[in-house]
Amino acid sequence: MSKIHAAITAVHGYVPDYVLTNHELEGMVETNDEWIVTRTGIKERRVLKGEGLGTSDMAVPAVNALLEKRGISAEELDLIIFCTTTPDFVFPATANILADKIGAKNAWGYDLQAACSGFLYGLATGSQFIESGKHKKVLVVGGDKMSAIVNYKDRATCIIFGDGAGAVLLEPNDEGNGVIDSILRSDGSGAPYLHQKAGGSVRPATHETVEANQHFAYQEGQAVFKFAVTKMADVAAEVMERNSLVADDVAWLVPHQANKRIIDATANRCGISEDKVIINIERYGNTTNGTLPLCLWEWEDKFKKGDNLILAAFGGGFTWGSIYLKWAY
Ligand code: UT7
């Protein structure tokens, strides 16, 4: 009997309407379009506006469109893995909230926190439930409302992040397509360089933590850049080597969208030419867990059955990894 792989059988995304341009940011902090474009590749990002709206509210339209595309009802879903760093609440899990909003009455679910590598971790873990035969339909969602934890007075972070969400459906495949291999890594000693100082159990919210701006994402950009640029490139190259893939075998490189310079370094390290690298950072910035599913969604029409895709990410934690998958439709 041929091995069962977990294949992506549908993908969809959602970005909010509001476009926050570099020009608008110039009026908010001491920055300029030229600096942002040169250092990051970002021209604009989306922001979810509206009282009482959270990350799940971006996942709902993405998932509903995905289900319609695949021609299945939410009740057929077995499991929802919601990869996010900006959950609707500390608890319950955003996966549970999403399940209720879309009517996934027969699914269980959990949130997965691995910062910008969350969607990769989710794809790898979700695949296990398919490969083991335990489940037939696993929904992996990646999304973040980064605007909820971005300090729009801090020019080092506010220019980078944006809001967005995407989702993929995983189903069993016996044709040899789907997730073939994954390498996932983490190093908790990187925590001081990228984290949120308060709001967790170590430092719960107080007037003081709010006044000290400790409920926002804190990043030491240069330190993170140094790790990201080598680790993401190395792990993508490692997954290729382990599967005897050379650059010509790879149809698409799907990198986390944190910084255009990190994307270019990863592509160079793997020897993959620019025309095969998926980049939408100029329009969405870094949507954290949203970047990879948004890339897959926007490039879906270009993928062919059997295409070799290399996904790679790096994020807070530190966390990083790479997945080799064969597109299944
Ligand atoms: O997705 C999760 C993982 N995160 C990442 O992978 C992000 C990795 N880091 C980065 O992408 C980059 O480090 C940043 C884009 C965050 C910053 O770029 P950089 O080239 O590392 O800049 P820098 O922090 O070294 O700052 C260079 C200069 C500084 O001025 P001086 O000291 O040279 O006078 C900063 O104060 O640029 C200044 N600067 C800015 N200038 C205009 C910092 N932010 C800005 C800004 N506009 N927004």
Side-chain angles (χ1 to χ4, degrees), residues 148-167:
I149 58 164
V150 162
N151 180 358
Y152 286 99
K153 290 183 177 143
D154 173 15
R155 69 177 183 172
T157 51
C158 74
I159 55 128
I160 301 166
F161 294 105
D163 300 342

Side-chain angles (χ1 to χ4, degrees), residues 31-42:
T31 191
N32 59 79
D33 176 64
E34 202 254 328
W35 190 97
I36 302 173
V37 173
T38 320
R39 299 284 180 132
T40 70
I42 302 166

Side-chain angles (χ1 to χ4, degrees), residues 30-255:
E30 186 66 41
T31 191
N32 59 79
D33 176 64
E34 202 254 328
W35 190 97
I36 302 173
V37 173
T38 320
R39 299 284 180 132
T40 70
I42 302 166
K43 292 182 181 149
E44 57 190 42
R45 67 291 289 142
R46 301 299 178 100
V47 174
L48 181 65
K49 300 267 186 182
E51 197 66 31
L53 295 180
T55 301
S56 73
D57 296 295
M58 296 186 289
V60 169
V63 174
N64 281 337
L66 176 152
L67 294 171
E68 195 181 328
K69 232 177 187 175
R70 182 74 186 107
I72 62 166
S73 81
E75 292 182 2
E76 291 177 62
L77 297 173
D78 299 309
L79 165 62
I80 298 174
I81 304 176
F82 203 124
C83 313
T84 186
T85 301
T86 51
D88 283 12
F89 301 97
V90 171
F91 74 92
T94 315
N96 302 143
I97 294 167
L98 176 66
D100 182 53
K101 285 182 174 173
I102 61 172
K105 291 187 171 50
N106 300 308
W108 67 289
Y110 57 89
D111 285 6
L112 193 155
Q113 156 67 294
C116 293
S117 308
F119 184 78
L120 264 192
Y121 277 33
L123 201 52
T125 46
S127 296
Q128 305 296 312
F129 289 95
I130 298 287
E131 287 173 18
S132 70
K134 175 88 178 157
H135 290 318
K136 298 280 180 255
K137 288 182 171 55
V138 174
L139 185 74
V140 183
V141 183
D144 274 296
K145 182 187 168 187
M146 291 306 290
S147 60
I149 58 164
V150 162
N151 180 358
Y152 286 99
K153 290 183 177 143
D154 173 15
R155 69 177 183 172
T157 51
C158 74
I159 55 128
I160 301 166
F161 294 105
D163 300 342
V168 299
L169 182 68
L170 294 176
E171 293 184 81
N173 181 291
D174 60 7
E175 295 179 322
N177 293 322
V179 173
I180 307 296
D181 195 13
S182 61
I183 300 176
L184 305 171
R185 306 239 190 268
S186 74
D187 178 357
S189 69
Y193 306 110
L194 180 50
H195 64 282
Q196 182 178 312
K197 294 187 185 299
S201 58
V202 167
R203 207 172 293 147
T206 61
H207 288 294
E208 288 72 28
T209 62
V210 172
E211 273 158 24
N213 291 322
Q214 293 183 339
H215 295 269
F216 295 122
Y218 168 85
Q219 175 170 254
E220 291 177 25
Q222 262 189 26
V224 178
F225 186 92
K226 261 185 226 156
F227 274 92
V229 81
T230 48
K231 298 290 187 194
M232 192 163 117
D234 285 353
V235 78
E238 190 182 342
V239 94
M240 282 174 61
E241 275 155 32
R242 194 155 94 172
N243 291 279
S244 307
L245 295 172
V246 295
D248 281 349
D249 301 321
V250 176
W252 299 99
L253 175 67
V254 193

Side-chain angles (χ1 to χ4, degrees), residues 233 236-237 239-240 245-255 263-279 308-312 322:
V239 94
M240 282 174 61
L245 295 172
V246 295
D248 281 349
D249 301 321
V250 176
W252 299 99
L253 175 67
V254 193
I263 296 173
D264 292 344
T266 305
N268 283 339
R269 173 82 167 76
C270 299
I272 295 172
S273 55
E274 211 178 331
D275 55 318
K276 297 201 287 188
V277 183
I278 298 183
I279 301 174
N308 290 323
L309 270 60
I310 299 292
L311 281 60
S322 185

